[in-house]
Amino acid sequence: MIKSEWILCPICGNKTRIQLRENTILMNYPLYCPKCKQETLIEAKQFHVTIIKKDVQKKEGYKKNE
């Protein structure tokens, strides 16, 4: 059986909605945390997660051009 683990948010430490398996490789993956509502760019290989960049995208309100 293939072992799997949840990815934890690098900012708040809570569980995200993404699960890793032993053979999963992620490169430049935008990890979103539903609790702190932050997005972080990560890489993952063999359960080792590396942070590339924090706060990739901040949500901005829609601006209507008039």
Side-chain angles (χ1 to χ4, degrees):
M1 186 168 153
I2 297 177
K3 184 179 176 185
S4 62
E5 292 182 8
W6 291 99
I7 297 180
L8 300 179
C9 174
I11 298 169
C12 68
N14 286 309
K15 197 164 52 168
T16 62
R17 295 179 179 151
I18 306 298
Q19 242 182 342
L20 286 180
R21 295 173 126 192
E22 288 177 302
N23 56 357
T24 301
I25 298 173
L26 297 174
M27 296 176 68
N28 298 324
Y29 184 79
L31 179 69
Y32 176 75
C33 176
K35 180 162 182 166
C36 67
K37 295 177 178 46
Q38 296 292 320
E39 199 172 277
T40 307
L41 200 60
I42 64 165
E43 289 185 351
K45 186 175 182 180
Q46 295 179 346
F47 299 124
H48 180 72
V49 177
T50 306
I51 301 169
I52 299 172
K53 189 175 182 182
K54 291 184 180 180
D55 299 329
V56 172
Q57 181 181 27
K58 291 188 178 181
K59 306 288 182 195
E60 293 183 15
Y62 176 74
K63 294 181 182 178
K64 186 176 180 181
N65 292 334
E66 292 183 9

